Structure formats: structure tokens, C-alpha cells
Amino acid sequence: MLTISKELADKIVAHARADHPDEACGVIAGRDGVPERFIPMENAERSPTFYRFDSMEQFRVWREMDDRDEEPVVIYHSHTATEAYPSRTDVSYASEPNAHYVLVSTRHETDVEFRSYRILDGEITEEEVRFIP
């Protein structure tokens, strides 16, 4: 189960809506599996159907997390025209075994579709999301 503050979840949704029609992406860093620090990142592809972290930005962010004794607790991105479910490409990019992979769909202007998954060895497992104040 992913337990996340409403504030952090709202930041993910706001980033996804701001970058629409392109996919948004980023990380929430934390310690001991607790999401704490929102890090929006640039979609190097600037695409409505695909995302990729800029390699230099990713290197900098991961080094900064390491320096702060943090880990990528949540890795998120948006889908702009489809449901919030990992694609084959998303699964192939899932390289952090302890991360929660959050997907937000921006296909509807008013509805929020916020889902979380564990992706390990190509296996997708949806998990409950608990929002806390």
C-alpha cells in the first residue's frame, strides 16, 4: 500500500495537468519508504504518449537523493489519453524494485485517476493508495 499526503498527491496531479498534452514525470524522494520531497522532472521526449527522464537531470536528482540519504519512494508519470495503467514501455523502464510507480491519467479534465503499482521483474501489481492529511 502507498500512503501519501494529499498535498504530495495534489502536486503530482497539478504537474500532470500543467504538462498536458505531454506526459509529465518526476519523483518523490523519502526515507524508509515514506514519500516526503516532491521533485518534478522534465520529460525529455516532450511527448503525449511517451516519457523519459533527461539523463543528466536524472543523474543529478539521484546523486542528490544519495547525498541526503533518500531513495526514490515514488516514481510518477501521466498518461494523457489512456487509463492510469503501466504500458509495456513503463514496465521496461521500472528499475527501482522498492519504488511505488504512480500513474495519473489526464484524459478527463475534471476526473482524477491516481493509481499506484509495484513493478518487479516485469510483473505489475496494483496497490491501494491511502491519502493522509
Side-chain angles (χ1 to χ4, degrees), residues 72-117:
V73 177
V74 172
I75 297 174
Y76 73 87
H77 76 281
S78 61
H79 283 182
T80 61
T82 60
E83 70 174 317
Y85 188 82
S87 68
R88 284 183 302 232
T89 303
D90 298 339
V91 172
S92 71
Y93 276 21
S95 61
E96 294 288 343
N98 296 321
H100 302 269
Y101 288 88
V102 166
L103 277 89
V104 173
S105 177
T106 57
R107 64 183 167 166
H108 303 296
E109 281 187 39
T110 56
D111 294 339
V112 175
E113 191 177 342
F114 188 107
R115 297 166 71 183
S116 183
Y117 304 88

Side-chain angles (χ1 to χ4, degrees), residues 16-62:
R17 294 226 186 271
D19 278 14
H20 188 87
D22 292 334
E23 290 192 3
C25 57
V27 175
I28 298 182
R31 293 183 185 94
D32 302 317
V34 178
E36 298 169 341
R37 188 167 61 94
F38 177 72
I39 308 168
M41 295 176 69
E42 187 73 28
N43 178 354
E45 298 297 324
R46 298 308 312 160
S47 166
T49 58
F50 186 72
Y51 88 97
R52 180 177 55 84
F53 292 146
D54 174 81
S55 59
M56 291 306 294
E57 182 182 28
Q58 183 175 8
F59 177 76
R60 180 186 57 75
V61 167
W62 258 248

